[in-house]
Amino acid sequence: MSERKSYLQMMSEGFRMMKEGKQINHETKLRQWTFSISREANWHVILRTERLKWVSPATDQFIIEPLFVRIGALQLTRHLETNEVRLTIDEEWGIESKVVCDDQEWERFVASLKQMKGE
């Protein structure tokens, strides 16, 4: 019975996330990653790539540093030496990916996030 219950809870959570996913306030891209970010009481992120669509749970954590961005479980880290941006999502299964972008592209992305956050 507990397996069924957890399955039903997962379905309920999935439908809730899909509903929240329709309330998009801001969209920004970094290479093949598209981030749709909205805020009501908390921040919500939808990440779309060629192979993936990930919807974050609600979070109050949104940190923007020059080489680091964290929104709840989603983290972006830029390495200056290689120009790599590593995407990590710390959840049950975990997601990790990376892209290479130049300084201007990264700075535009960070500026877009700051503007959306109101910094």
Side-chain angles (χ1 to χ4, degrees):
M1 191 69 166
S2 65
E3 287 179 28
R4 179 177 174 83
K5 192 174 195 179
S6 65
Y7 174 76
L8 292 174
Q9 288 171 341
M10 284 179 13
M11 291 297 292
S12 172
E13 183 73 10
F15 286 123
R16 181 192 61 76
M17 286 190 239
M18 285 174 50
K19 180 183 173 192
E20 289 171 358
K22 294 178 183 174
Q23 303 164 349
I24 297 170
N25 292 340
H26 181 76
E27 189 169 286
T28 188
K29 292 184 88 156
L30 182 65
R31 294 291 168 136
Q32 68 262 22
W33 301 332
T34 302
F35 300 89
S36 302
I37 302 170
S38 65
R39 180 170 191 180
E40 287 183 18
N42 289 309
W43 295 101
H44 300 275
V45 178
I46 300 173
L47 167 66
R48 290 182 189 87
T49 69
E50 295 169 355
R51 300 181 188 172
L52 169 73
K53 180 178 177 184
W54 176 77
V55 180
S56 75
T59 184
D60 61 348
Q61 184 181 45
F62 193 166
I63 302 166
I64 304 172
E65 301 279 332
L67 299 176
F68 175 84
V69 174
R70 182 169 193 95
I71 308 170
L74 183 143
Q75 178 176 311
L76 295 164
T77 308
R78 180 149 192 267
H79 300 279
L80 286 175
E81 301 82 32
T82 60
N83 284 337
E84 281 184 355
V85 177
R86 183 174 301 275
L87 165 73
T88 309
I89 298 176
D90 298 322
E91 280 193 330
E92 185 177 348
W93 295 289
I95 297 169
E96 195 168 290
S97 184
K98 62 184 171 182
V99 295
V100 176
C101 67
D102 62 17
D103 292 341
Q104 289 179 337
E105 196 172 12
W106 174 255
E107 289 169 8
R108 278 193 308 266
F109 175 72
V110 169
S112 172
L113 291 177
K114 284 182 176 182
Q115 180 184 11
M116 187 263 324
K117 186 179 176 189
E119 288 188 2

